[in-house]
Every structure is written in structure tokens, then in C-alpha cells.
Amino acid sequence: MAGLEPLYAWALPAVSRPQDALLCAVHWELVRHGYRCLGAGDQPGPDERKSELLPAGWEANKEVYTLRYKSLDDARELLLKAITVEDSMILNVMDRSSQKVADVTLTVADYIHPEHLDDFHKVYRNTEELRTRIASGIIAPLGAPSEKAKKEPEAERKDPDLLQDSDPLRLPPRQPAGPRAPTWPSPLSPFAVGGEDLDPFGGRSGGMIVDPLHSGFPRPGIDPSSGIPGRLPRGAVPPGARFDPFGPLGAGRSGPDPDHLPPPGYDDMFM
């Protein structure tokens, strides 16, 4: 029962009989479960404060110990009356807010060695059983208090995802180094005109010359290695070699001929 030892050492001058020692243990169990003592007696006194210690005069009445407690969250206030009847102690606890009542009867000799009142390490026995009796007979029926949750109003401002959206000076996350294909716009986009002239890899369409064969619309692929009827026999172009068509492919297919373009800077309309 960690924490009971310093309490018992503080209260030892007032401990004169086994019931006093047992009440110290009962008091500490209430403290462990989130309650603090306000004072002795049925009515509040001046300048009362929550304390883990027993109040002054707690042992004045040897027939009935009367103590008042309040939970850490201020939701419950308990009135404890420990009545001594021969070799027993009857614990009667009432929650003043809900008017709930719980009571437990303890046999003093089951938990206290009366001949060792001045030695904390020998005065108590069956401490685990005592704790279980108090928890099941008093704490559980009345309900254990809950501590107030601590709010962190700055939590959202510390969220990295929110900072990325709200901080204009925040640098975007760096992508891992490695080869990756450029994200070119679709060749069907009206804004893709001239994109082929800017692509050093030649992997897209959209040059300055309007070519119906390279307009970006789906069309059958051309395999020059299989030959072109009437123009190239099969195998004339090695597989995978770069091949620029020298004429229209198929009937009715026409396209611009680079030889029809005048030399750069030559603008003689009669040429």
C-alpha cells in the first residue's frame, strides 16, 4: 500500500487503538481512488481544502469517525461514518450529490495487529483483502471519480498536415531521388500545342507542325520491319530501328512533306 507509510508516520501520535490504524488504511484507499479529505464532522469548516492527510481532530470521537471527502473532479462529495461496534468497524458512506449509500463491515482483528501499533511494517495484515473489500463495497457502488481531461488547444496547429496547408513559407516535401518519367499533359489537350518541340526525349505529340498522323488520336501502330506493301519488302528495316515514313501509309492518308517546306528565312512567295 504505497503512500500509506508516510501517512501512518504522520498520524502515529494520534493512533492509540487498532480502530485508529484501520481508519488510516480506509482513508488512504479513498485517496488512492481519486478522493481528497475536506475535514472532520458533518458540516464544513472555515478555510477547508482538499488534502491527502487526515484532518485535525479526526480521532476525537472514538465511537464514530466522521470524515468528508471530495473527488478530484468535484463531481462527488462523500460523507464517511466509521462506527466502532466491539471488535468490528462499520463503514457507512453516502454520496451527497446522488444520495447513494454504501456500507462495509470490517473485523478489526482481520487487518490490524494491535500489539504493533507503533510499527508500520507489522501493524497491518491482509492488506490486499482490505483493498478489495473497500473497492468492491464502497468505490464500485458509488462510482470511481474521473480526472478532468486536459485540453490542448494548440494541438491542431501542431499538425504537420495542417501546417503544410496554412504556412506559405513551408517547403513542399522532397521526392526521393531516382529516374521518373516527366508528367506531360495529354496530347488531346488544346494546350499541348508545341509540347513536342520542348520534349528532348521525343516521347509525346503536340509539335508546331500539324500532322494528322501524329495528332494524338488512337491509331494502329506501324511496324516497318514487317514491310510496307508496294514500298518496302519484309525485313528491309531492322526491328526496333528508327524509321521515318517517306510517303503516305495507306490509301487516302496524306500528311505534310518536310521537303515542301521552304528553307528557314526564305519567304519568296513566287518560289
Side-chain angles (χ1 to χ4, degrees):
M1 302 176 72
L4 177 58
E5 182 176 0
L7 172 69
Y8 191 81
W10 175 86
L12 186 57
V15 175
S16 60
R17 60 181 191 155
Q19 289 82 352
D20 295 338
L22 183 57
L23 185 69
C24 288
V26 172
H27 164 84
W28 186 248
E29 280 304 299
L30 293 175
V31 170
R32 285 186 60 254
H33 284 89
Y35 291 96
R36 297 295 183 266
C37 190
L38 295 176
D42 295 301
Q43 302 301 323
D47 302 327
E48 284 189 343
R49 290 178 296 180
K50 297 178 183 178
S51 176
E52 296 182 359
L53 300 177
L54 287 164
W58 63 273
E59 82 298 349
N61 189 340
K62 298 297 185 180
E63 301 299 326
V64 181
Y65 301 88
T66 303
L67 298 172
R68 288 176 293 104
Y69 295 84
K70 202 167 191 178
S71 60
L72 291 174
D73 58 2
D74 296 330
R76 292 181 174 89
E77 184 174 347
L78 305 183
L79 175 63
L80 167 65
K81 288 184 178 291
I83 306 170
T84 60
V85 180
E86 296 180 355
D87 59 348
S88 299
M89 176 179 286
I90 302 174
L91 303 178
N92 183 276
V93 183
M94 182 182 68
D95 186 345
R96 288 187 162 179
S97 58
S98 64
Q99 299 298 311
K100 291 182 179 179
V101 178
D103 58 83
V104 175
T105 300
L106 304 174
T107 301
V108 179
D110 289 344
Y111 309 105
I112 303 297
H113 289 286
E115 66 275 12
H116 298 297
L117 295 180
D118 58 345
D119 188 349
F120 171 78
H121 299 284
K122 297 180 180 179
V123 68
Y124 291 105
R125 66 169 74 175
N126 301 326
T127 55
E128 289 302 322
E129 178 186 340
L130 176 60
R131 294 175 60 179
T132 302
R133 294 285 305 277
I134 296 174
S136 61
I138 297 177
I139 303 300
L142 299 181
S146 59
E147 296 184 6
K148 292 181 179 179
K150 296 181 180 180
K151 298 181 180 180
E152 296 183 4
E154 300 297 328
E156 294 184 355
R157 299 181 184 179
K158 296 179 182 179
D159 190 336
D161 297 333
L162 296 177
L163 282 175
Q164 183 175 357
D165 296 336
S166 60
D167 189 355
L169 301 180
R170 182 181 176 85
L171 295 177
R174 299 183 60 183
Q175 299 294 334
R180 55 180 178 177
T183 56
W184 302 109
S186 170
L188 300 179
S189 171
F191 302 101
V193 177
E196 188 175 22
D197 299 326
L198 302 176
D199 182 5
F201 301 103
R204 56 168 297 196
S205 300
M208 297 301 293
I209 300 177
V210 179
D211 185 356
L213 299 181
H214 298 82
S215 60
F217 293 92
R219 63 185 182 87
I222 301 174
D223 184 10
S225 64
S226 62
I228 299 177
R231 288 182 172 80
L232 289 176
R234 178 181 296 273
V237 179
R242 179 171 179 174
F243 175 74
D244 293 330
F246 48 81
L249 299 179
R253 302 291 296 274
S254 61
D257 187 349
D259 294 336
H260 295 168
L261 297 179
Y266 192 86
D267 57 351
D268 187 357
M269 60 179 298
F270 301 102
M271 182 70 181

